[in-house]
Amino acid sequence: MKNIFKLLAIISTLFLFTACSSKNPPLKTVQKVDLEKYLGTWYEIARYEHFFEKDCKNVSANYSMMDEETIKVINRCTKITTNEKKEALGRAYATDTTNSKLKVSFFRPFYGDYWVLMLDEKYEYAVVGTPSREYLWILARNSKLDEKIKNEILQKLPTLGFDTSKLIWTIQE
């Protein structure tokens, strides 16, 4: 039974990460990401719901370099219903020299897109999504995001083809 669940999870992840959408124009990323500045801890402010973060609060991601090309990813959350702490280990790599388009995997050999769509010049907040528009995250260096910045992000997202009504606002305690 456990193996069936793992197989279904892998198949679901593969399907979700490879889903394509032809109704949206090509998705533009930021021009350049300085990985050294991007590394460290980011707090999830909002996300599109998906099975691997269902029932999560206090969500954070930590990025550090494993080697010259590979980024270590540690995602953490606390389950809302049980207060159980969860952790997922992954890895990522940039697909070009801009470092704005990455591939991330928590279920190797399957990798999904991680595109940096908006990034504060001081690296205080970021918006990350996928070209299929299936996944979206609003991240910040602090567990709370200034309302003015939040509203600016919400105004821009529809121009990128993202439906803001699908956002789940993360509980950060």
Side-chain angles (χ1 to χ4, degrees), residues 6-49:
K6 283 183 182 179
L7 180 61
L8 287 173
I10 289 170
I11 291 170
S12 297
T13 301
L14 179 61
F15 174 76
L16 290 173
F17 280 141
T18 58
C20 293
S21 175
S22 59
K23 66 181 176 179
N24 292 305
L27 188 58
K28 291 184 180 180
T29 62
V30 297
Q31 288 185 349
K32 181 91 173 146
V33 175
D34 180 337
L35 287 182
E36 287 299 316
K37 290 182 181 179
Y38 200 84
L39 299 177
T41 299
W42 291 88
Y43 296 91
E44 182 183 273
I45 303 301
R47 69 175 179 270
Y48 277 5
E49 188 68 278

